């Protein structure tokens, strides 16, 4: 819980609960005060939870929300086709010149 409440709450990447404060006209030496309260329901230490995540195998195809591998494959395929077409036309032009 944040006091005063933020004007904007955004989702940053896959993380929820990113709060933004924007201040204009703040003078040097002026103070802004915030109160932050954090409640946690998990009883395990964070380091144990992180260790558990690191030990799990990484599946590159698991993240179907943002398939970066598909974008990379599409760009690579288009690049290869363009390079092949360029080489074909250059070779064809050389044959016609002789």
């Amino acid at each position: 819980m944040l006091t005063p409440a933020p004007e904007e709450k955004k989702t940053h990447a896959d993380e929820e609960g990113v709060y933004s404060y924007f201040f204009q006209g703040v003078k040097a030496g002026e103070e802004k005060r915030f109160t932050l309260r954090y409640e946690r329901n998990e009883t395990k230490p964070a380091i144990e939870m992180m260790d558990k995540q690191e030990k799990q195998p990484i599946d590159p195809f698991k993240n179907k929300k943002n398939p970066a591998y598909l974008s990379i494959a599409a760009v690579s395929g288009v690049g290869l086709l363009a390079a092949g077409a360029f080489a074909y036309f250059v070779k064809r032009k050389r044959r016609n010149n002789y």
Side-chain angles (χ1 to χ4, degrees):
M1 181 174 162
L2 284 168
T3 306
E7 293 179 17
E8 291 188 37
K9 179 180 179 183
K10 295 183 178 182
T11 300
H12 180 71
D14 292 334
E15 299 294 324
E16 291 188 22
V18 176
Y19 299 94
S20 299
Y21 289 90
F22 298 99
F23 298 103
Q24 294 179 349
V26 178
K27 295 180 173 72
E30 186 177 343
E31 291 184 14
K32 296 287 183 186
R33 295 186 183 269
F34 297 88
T35 302
L36 173 66
R37 188 175 77 217
Y38 174 71
E39 294 177 8
R40 182 174 173 191
N41 296 327
E42 182 63 51
T43 57
K44 292 181 184 177
I47 192 74
E48 283 183 21
M49 293 171 58
M50 290 172 62
D51 284 342
K52 184 178 177 183
Q53 282 183 335
E54 288 178 2
K55 291 178 184 175
Q56 293 177 352
I58 297 172
D59 184 5
F61 302 106
K62 182 179 178 182
N63 188 5
K64 294 179 182 177
K65 199 176 204 182
N66 185 11
Y69 63 89
L70 188 59
S71 300
I72 292 169
V75 170
S76 299
V78 169
L80 286 173
L81 287 174
F86 179 74
Y88 172 77
F89 288 117
V90 167
K91 191 174 184 179
R92 186 174 166 195
K93 188 173 183 176
R94 283 187 180 175
R95 282 186 194 167
N96 291 339
N97 286 341
Y98 291 115

